Amino acid sequence: MKLFLKIFFLLLIFEILLGVGNSFFSSENISFLGVKLSLVTGSLIQVFSMPINIFGRELPFYAREAWIGIVLTILNIAIQSFIVLQLFKTLKRSKIKNPKD
């Protein structure tokens, strides 16, 4: 449970920073190496909203009313945390069963 909460809060902080960065880059129209940074952050937001799209394609977690957006964001991050936790456990078991040393 502790690992799940660590992953959850790490993803929460990352996605908050990503959202703030996307808002900033969209308003300032900043480019780096010829690529608009708002395009990069917007694409990352789309990738991170994929788990919530399992329940419906009309559910991007950031495009609803404030309280619904917060609930969907928390649900989305919980799903992502569960996926990362399961991948971590699978890789850990794989290393124990098949040591290469």
Side-chain angles (χ1 to χ4, degrees), residues 9-27:
F9 285 114
L10 183 69
L11 285 172
L12 179 67
I13 291 169
F14 177 76
E15 290 191 23
I16 288 172
L17 291 175
L18 185 63
V20 170
N22 187 44
S23 297
F24 176 74
F25 294 141
S26 294
S27 66

Side-chain angles (χ1 to χ4, degrees), residues 2 18 23 25 27 30 44 52 54 67 72 84 87 100:
K2 287 182 184 180
L18 185 63
S23 297
F25 294 141
S27 66
I30 299 174
L44 285 172
I52 202 71
I54 293 170
W67 70 274
L72 290 176
V84 170
L87 287 173
K100 293 184 178 182

